[in-house]
Amino acid sequence: MKMPVLLIPLTLLLSLLIKGRKIFIIPTIAFLGVVLSAFLGRRDYLDYTFLLSLFAGLFSVPILTIQIREMFLALSSQASRQLVALDDACRNIEARRADIHNNIRNLERQNAAVSDLYEMTKDMSGLLQFSEMFGVFQKILSENFSFKGGFLVTLRYNISALEIDKIYRIPSQELEETYLPDASYYKILEYLQHIRESAYVGRNSALRKQFSLVSEENLAFSLLKVENRIIGALILEGLPQEHFDKFSVFSTQFSLELKKVRLYEQIEEMATTDSLTGLYVRRKILELTRDELERAKRRSLYLAFSMLDIDYFKKCNDRYGHLVGDYVLREIARILKTNLREIDLIGRYGGEEFSVILPQTDLEGAKIVAQRISEAVRKYPFKAYGEVFRTTISCGVAIFPDDAQADIQLIDAADRALYAAKNRGRDCVVFYREIAS
């Protein structure tokens, strides 16, 4: 009875060691029973244990077969799942590889676009005059984009509202200001400035319906931004949508060039503009006179040049002081701006002298302008310390080509006529032809 008693704890111990895999308990116990009987038991115990082990072994074979089959099925299922997971991982890797390849192609296209952009805009980078840059800008647009027409809109700096400075048509032979075709353009531009985004307005765009766009053309609105400040907008009619991204990149570069030109013009304006009156200084007037005379010669046009002087200005300074004198100069400048055309050029020639360039103006036209300015100054109520006073101007006028053929000669002729007006008692207009004979 020693052997059966010994098998009970051995069975429990083996059950704990094999952690529930009970199918192996029976043959294992049988085998151990044979071994222990051989060393510890008698012969009859060995025969009994052998038969018992043989019976247990034969009894466990079908169960072991089933269990092994189930184990192989489980391993096969697990291997299949792992293969599926591996296949999914391979497909993900392939998809990521394709995405990386597409990204590389996109980067290559962007790099090529940037290179093309550099080639497109490098001709603008050396220009400091807006008129010259605008010509190159139009050429670049025409050569690189397909569109039917468009507009360049420059804005004044106003963060709260749309304040248009100037609008230029694209393309145009000369730098001429114009208007946008209808109110819907302004409304869309104002909306885009508010959301600070560019937009492509296609035939099915929500913006087209929202703002009742009259034009049937596709419109590309690209805001011109510099340092988070909107300085203008480019509008192209009929631009294909697939070109909008390239157009936006070009607009970004153009924004920088436009900003640079504006800064240069501001610096130049500070150097060429009188700080008191806001009019051109003498040096700039001489330059403009030369340019306008050459233009008049090319187109066979008249050009009038006027010299104006405030009568008895020294007495005004002596009586009221220089602050009132400065006030009078500013008011005279304002009167000149109010009574002249936009194409007319006004300068402070020096002291209390002003000069006016009148393009495309003959003798009769110059007479009308001179009389209108003289009368406006004569009637204007100047004020000083609660006192109202009035002043007058003397004016000398010379006409190209009748009175002179060169810019210096034209200025000198107008100056001589002014001197004659002073000698005639002031507050009058004298034309050079009156004293030339």
Side-chain angles (χ1 to χ4, degrees):
M1 297 297 294
K2 184 177 180 181
M3 179 58 67
V5 174
L6 184 62
L7 289 177
I8 294 173
L10 288 174
T11 301
L12 295 175
L13 178 63
L14 287 174
S15 297
L16 293 174
L17 290 177
I18 64 179
K19 298 180 180 178
R21 296 180 182 178
K22 296 179 181 180
I23 189 62
F24 297 106
I25 292 177
I26 297 175
T28 301
I29 292 175
F31 176 75
L32 289 174
V34 173
V35 174
L36 290 173
S37 297
F39 288 96
L40 301 177
R42 296 192 302 273
R43 183 71 182 180
D44 54 347
Y45 278 110
L46 179 63
D47 295 338
Y48 175 76
T49 305
F50 176 78
L51 293 174
L52 181 63
S53 299
L54 181 62
F55 174 77
L58 293 173
F59 177 76
S60 65
V61 167
I63 302 175
L64 183 63
T65 302
I66 294 172
Q67 186 69 18
I68 291 173
R69 180 173 176 274
E70 290 178 353
M71 289 176 60
F72 273 108
L73 288 175
L75 290 173
S76 176
S77 177
Q78 183 179 2
S80 297
R81 288 194 299 270
Q82 291 178 347
L83 287 174
V84 171
L86 182 62
D87 187 54
D88 291 340
C90 290
R91 282 198 294 268
N92 290 335
I93 292 172
E94 181 64 24
R96 291 182 63 185
R97 188 193 69 81
D99 290 340
I100 292 172
H101 187 62
N102 290 334
N103 290 335
I104 291 174
R105 284 203 302 267
N106 290 334
L107 288 174
E108 289 175 347
R109 284 196 295 267
Q110 291 177 10
N111 182 57
V114 170
S115 298
D116 292 342
L117 179 63
Y118 170 75
E119 292 298 325
M120 283 192 292
T121 58
K122 69 178 183 180
D123 291 336
M124 288 193 298
S125 62
L127 302 176
L128 295 175
Q129 297 293 335
F130 178 77
S131 57
E132 296 177 352
M133 188 189 71
F134 186 75
V136 175
F137 159 75
Q138 290 192 109
K139 181 181 177 183
I140 292 173
L141 277 181
S142 300
E143 291 177 350
N144 292 276
F145 299 97
S146 173
F147 64 98
K148 295 182 179 180
F151 304 90
L152 167 61
V153 181
T154 60
L155 303 177
R156 297 187 182 95
Y157 182 62
N158 188 336
I159 197 169
S160 60
L162 178 70
E163 235 181 275
I164 292 177
D165 182 23
K166 295 179 181 178
I167 302 172
Y168 304 98
R169 182 175 293 279
I170 305 170
S172 60
Q173 296 297 323
E174 293 187 3
L175 189 62
E176 296 181 356
E177 295 184 45
T178 185
Y179 299 94
L180 295 178
D182 59 75
S184 56
Y185 281 70
Y186 293 94
K187 292 177 181 178
I188 294 175
L189 190 57
E190 185 174 16
Y191 169 75
L192 295 178
Q193 187 210 24
H194 176 69
I195 65 173
R196 306 184 67 80
E197 294 290 341
S198 300
Y200 186 84
V201 184
R203 297 189 181 278
N204 299 319
S205 172
L207 291 177
R208 178 179 293 275
K209 300 176 182 178
Q210 180 179 351
F211 296 102
S212 303
L213 184 63
V214 177
S215 173
E216 296 182 356
E217 296 290 346
N218 294 330
L219 298 178
F221 287 80
S222 183
L223 299 182
L224 305 178
K225 300 179 184 178
V226 176
E227 298 176 353
N228 204 34
R229 174 182 167 185
I230 301 174
I231 64 172
L234 284 174
I235 305 172
L236 290 188
E237 299 172 326
L239 180 76
Q241 188 166 7
E242 58 268 22
H243 294 168
F244 181 65
D245 289 340
K246 182 180 178 182
F247 173 60
S248 298
V249 174
F250 169 75
S251 300
T252 301
Q253 184 64 26
F254 177 69
S255 302
L256 299 176
E257 300 299 331
L258 181 60
K259 178 64 175 178
K260 180 189 68 177
V261 169
R262 278 190 162 186
L263 286 174
Y264 177 79
E265 288 180 345
Q266 289 175 4
I267 294 172
E268 187 181 49
E269 184 179 353
M270 291 173 63
T272 60
T273 304
D274 176 57
S275 59
L276 178 63
T277 62
L279 304 179
Y280 290 120
V281 296
R282 178 173 179 170
R283 178 181 63 82
K284 185 63 176 179
I285 280 293
L286 294 175
E287 178 185 327
L288 293 172
T289 303
R290 182 174 61 253
D291 294 342
E292 288 297 328
L293 190 65
E294 291 300 320
R295 181 169 172 269
K297 286 181 179 179
R298 288 196 306 269
R299 300 190 177 186
S300 300
L301 300 172
Y302 283 101
L303 177 67
F305 187 92
S306 300
M307 293 287 290
L308 298 84
D309 186 87
I310 303 175
D311 297 331
Y312 304 111
F313 185 70
K314 185 177 182 302
K315 290 183 179 180
C316 175
N317 276 336
D318 293 341
R319 179 174 179 179
Y320 299 108
H322 288 284
L323 290 179
V324 174
D326 290 346
Y327 156 72
V328 171
L329 289 171
R330 286 194 298 268
E331 291 303 296
I332 294 291
R334 190 185 62 79
I335 292 171
L336 291 174
K337 293 176 183 177
T338 304
N339 287 275
L340 291 170
R341 302 169 299 178
E342 187 174 351
I343 65 171
D344 298 331
L345 306 168
I346 317 167
R348 185 181 177 191
Y349 202 74
E352 66 272 21
E353 284 189 342
F354 297 87
S355 53
V356 177
I357 304 171
L358 303 170
Q360 304 175 35
T361 304
D362 58 10
L363 178 63
E364 294 303 318
K367 285 181 179 179
I368 295 172
V369 173
Q371 293 296 338
R372 183 171 67 243
I373 293 173
S374 296
E375 185 175 357
V377 173
R378 190 182 304 116
K379 293 181 177 181
Y380 189 80
F382 295 90
K383 299 176 182 179
Y385 309 113
E387 180 183 345
V388 176
F389 67 95
R390 301 182 188 278
T391 189
T392 59
I393 59 171
S394 299
C395 183
V397 183
I399 308 294
F400 167 84
D402 300 337
D403 300 329
Q405 295 295 315
D407 53 324
I408 299 300
Q409 294 174 349
L410 187 66
I411 295 172
D412 182 65
D415 192 54
R416 288 173 181 268
L418 173 61
Y419 185 76
K422 291 286 188 181
N423 288 336
R424 290 185 184 182
R426 296 177 171 82
D427 190 20
C428 64
V429 179
V430 174
F431 288 83
Y432 179 72
R433 65 177 54 191
E434 298 176 18
I435 62 172
S437 55

